[in-house]
Amino acid sequence: MSIDAVTSDATAITPEAATSEFLHSLSKPAHILVAVSGGSDSTGLLIALAERLKSHPHDDITLTAATIDHGLRAASADEAREVAALCASRGISHFIRRWEGEKPGTGIMAAAREARYALLAELASEISADAIVTAHTWDDQRETIAMRGARRGQGGYGTGIADAVLFDRRIWIVRPFLSCRRAEIRTYLVTRDVSWLDDPSNEDVRYERVRTRMELAREPVAEMPADGGADRAALSERAAVWLDEHVAIHAGALCAVARPGLSADAAVVAYTLSYLAAIFGGSSYPPGRTQMERVLEFVNGANLGRRTAGGVIFDLRRDALYLMRESRNIAPVSVLPGEKVNWDGRFEIENFGQTAVRVSAPGAGNATIFPANLPGGVVKGAQAAMPSIVPEGGDKAASVALLPRLAPFDRFLTRFDLTFANSLSVAFGREAYRRLPISAL
C-alpha cells in the first residue's frame, strides 16, 4: 500500500469536507447504501461517512454498505469478506452480492458496471435505501474527461462524470467524492490506521482507463478541466422549452417537429434531435457525430425528402420534420405470463395474462390513434414499425401493458439531462423521472 504524492489543487477538497457537504445536501430522512469494493476510494468514503455520522449524529440518516463480488478474480470472495469484517468492526450493516452466471468475452468492464449497478439497485429496493453512493474521485473525473476527449468524434454530448445518475428509473447513484483527490483519500485513511485493498486490474494495460491513467501520470497535474456539466444542464433546460413549443409525440411511434423550430438555437436543435433519434431508434446512445452532422445539414437545407440515421427515418415536409423507426430489422419476441421485456429498445411490454404473447412489427395499423391532419404517408410509415401483440397457443385475449421506452435515459440518466428528460418523458405519456435525493453538489 503506497501513498501518492499529494499535489495541491484549488478544485480538490478534503474527504471530510466532501462528506459534510453531501450529508448537508441530502434530503432527509434518508437511508444511503454505500458501494464498497475495499479499494482506497470506497473505503475512504465509507469511513468518512461513518465518522461524520458518529461525530455529528443524524437520527434521520441510516448508513448501510454493500460489496459486489464480480467473481472475476480468485481473491474476490475473500476481499468481500474483508470489507464485511471492516464494517462489522465499525458497527455498519453490510451485504455481499455476487455477479453470477457466464461472463462476456468482450466489453467486460461495461458488463461488470451494469451488473454492479443492477445488484446494488436490487439490494437498495430490498432494504428501502433512498440512494446509492459511490466513490468516484477527482482522478476518475480527470481520466474520464481525457478519454471522452480522445473519442470526441463518436457523437453524443460528452461531459465528465455526473455527480448524480438515475439508474433504471428507480434509484439515484450519488458521487460525493468527485472533488477529492485519491492521494488525499489515502492520506486520510493512513492517519486513521485504516488499510485498503489494491485491485490488480488497475494495473492492466488492456483497459483504456488504465492506459489513460498511466499517460496522465507523466503529465504535470493542473487544474481539473471543465466537466461541461453546467453547460449541459443549461442546454437541457433550453431544450425542454424548445420541445414543449415545437414537438409533438404520437403513440410513442411518431414525432413531429414544426418547421419553425428547426431554425432555432442550433445547439438546442442538435441536442434534441440526437436524443429523439436515439429514442425512436431504440438506442442507448445518439447517432454518431458524422451521422448527425449529415442529418442536421439535411433538415436545414432547402430540399424536402427523407434521410435515415441510426435506424430512424427523418422525413422533411413543408409543414414539419417527422421522425419514425425504420421498418427493418425489428425482431419479434415472445413474452411469457408475468414477464416484462424490452421490445426493439422502444417499448416495455409486460404480460399480465395467462398465456404467452408474440410481439412483432408491423402493427395492426389503427390509424385513428393519429391526428387526422397528419400526412397519410407519414402515418403509414409509423404504423409499419409499431408493435402487434398476439396471444400464442390459444384464443385467450391478451392482457398487456405497453409503455414507451426512452432508451438513452431509462437506464442511465445524468443529472445534467434531467430537465429535458422529464419534459420528454411527459411528452411520451410517461411520468416524470424520480426526484433527486440531494441538492446539486
Side-chain angles (χ1 to χ4, degrees):
M1 180 174 68
S2 62
I3 301 296
D4 296 337
V6 177
T7 304
S8 175
D9 189 286
T11 64
I13 64 175
T14 67
E16 297 96 324
T19 301
S20 177
E21 287 183 14
F22 165 65
L23 292 175
H24 177 73
S25 72
L26 192 63
S27 299
K28 303 172 184 68
H31 184 176
I32 54 178
L33 177 63
V34 187
V36 187
S37 66
S40 61
D41 301 343
S42 60
T43 301
L45 176 61
L46 177 69
I47 297 302
L49 285 167
E51 289 197 350
R52 181 70 185 181
L53 291 173
K54 183 177 180 180
S55 61
H56 297 74
H58 289 267
D59 293 337
D60 52 0
I61 297 179
T62 302
L63 180 66
T64 300
T67 301
I68 304 303
D69 175 6
H70 294 89
L72 299 175
R73 295 182 291 107
S76 63
D78 289 338
E79 292 170 354
R81 285 190 285 270
E82 286 189 45
V83 177
L86 171 66
C87 290
S89 72
R90 298 269 175 161
I92 301 169
S93 178
H94 178 266
F95 294 85
I96 297 174
R97 292 292 184 268
R98 183 177 174 85
W99 183 20
E100 303 287 0
E102 188 175 350
K103 308 300 190 293
T106 59
I108 188 66
M109 298 300 281
R113 182 187 70 155
E114 285 272 350
R116 178 167 61 253
Y117 286 149
L119 289 167
L120 288 169
E122 289 170 9
L123 175 59
S125 179
E126 291 173 20
I127 65 174
S128 300
D130 300 293
I132 296 167
V133 183
T134 65
H136 292 81
T137 66
W138 186 101
D139 304 81
D140 295 319
Q141 183 73 287
R142 185 177 180 226
E143 292 158 10
T144 298
I145 291 171
M147 288 189 297
R148 290 178 179 173
R151 299 195 298 262
R152 194 162 290 157
Q154 295 183 13
Y157 288 82
T159 60
I161 301 171
D163 58 11
V165 175
L166 181 63
F167 176 73
D168 202 30
R169 270 193 179 256
R170 51 182 168 155
I171 191 160
W172 282 94
I173 300 164
V174 186
R175 296 151 174 169
F177 267 16
L178 271 182
S179 294
C180 296
R181 293 287 313 279
R182 181 165 294 123
E184 291 273 2
I185 298 168
R186 292 183 173 185
T187 298
Y188 170 82
L189 289 173
V190 168
T191 60
R192 285 154 179 78
D193 197 27
V194 177
S195 62
W196 63 84
L197 304 168
D198 288 315
D199 185 346
S201 66
N202 289 329
E203 305 297 327
D204 192 336
V205 295
R206 290 177 299 175
Y207 300 125
E208 179 189 17
R209 182 170 293 276
V210 174
R211 296 193 300 272
T212 301
R213 183 176 303 144
M214 291 179 174
E215 291 171 5
L216 292 174
R218 294 191 287 268
E219 300 177 3
V221 177
E223 286 193 3
M224 170 72 71
D227 66 13
D231 289 343
R232 190 158 107 187
L235 178 59
S236 166
E237 292 177 2
R238 301 200 310 274
V241 173
W242 185 89
L243 184 83
D244 292 341
E245 291 179 351
H246 301 292
V247 176
I249 307 295
H250 304 290
L254 178 63
C255 173
V257 182
R259 286 297 294 266
L262 300 177
S263 303
D265 183 337
V268 168
V269 174
Y271 172 92
T272 310
L273 289 186
S274 293
Y275 281 115
L276 286 171
I279 291 166
F280 281 92
S283 173
S284 297
Y285 303 99
R289 185 177 297 271
T290 300
Q291 278 186 308
M292 280 310 301
E293 285 176 351
R294 291 172 180 165
V295 167
L296 293 169
E297 182 180 3
F298 163 65
V299 301
N300 289 315
N303 297 324
L304 305 181
R306 291 154 61 103
R307 295 290 187 277
T308 302
V312 176
I313 296 172
F314 293 78
D315 189 337
L316 184 63
R317 303 199 175 207
R318 296 186 187 281
D319 63 320
L321 170 69
Y322 297 95
L323 279 71
M324 68 204 80
R325 171 72 161 92
E326 190 179 18
S327 59
R328 296 192 304 167
N329 304 319
I330 303 177
V333 297
S334 290
V335 188
L336 300 175
E339 188 178 22
K340 179 190 290 186
V341 302
N342 173 350
W343 180 73
D344 195 44
R346 296 181 294 135
F347 290 94
E348 291 179 358
I349 299 174
E350 187 168 6
N351 185 359
F352 295 101
Q354 302 297 313
T355 186
V357 297
R358 181 176 176 81
V359 186
S360 60
N366 183 3
T368 62
I369 63 176
F370 296 97
N373 63 341
L374 292 178
V378 167
V379 170
K380 185 176 180 180
Q383 288 175 299
M386 291 184 69
S388 170
I389 303 174
V390 179
E392 293 183 343
D395 56 359
K396 294 182 180 179
S399 178
V400 176
L402 180 71
L403 284 176
R405 177 175 172 79
L406 281 60
F409 300 133
D410 278 5
R411 194 63 170 171
F412 290 100
L413 169 60
T414 72
R415 181 182 61 79
F416 306 144
D417 295 308
L418 180 59
T419 302
F420 173 70
N422 274 335
S423 292
L424 199 57
S425 188
V426 172
F428 272 84
R430 298 203 61 175
E431 71 281 2
Y433 287 91
R434 184 180 293 267
R435 292 182 60 185
L436 273 164
I438 54 167
S439 56
L441 293 179

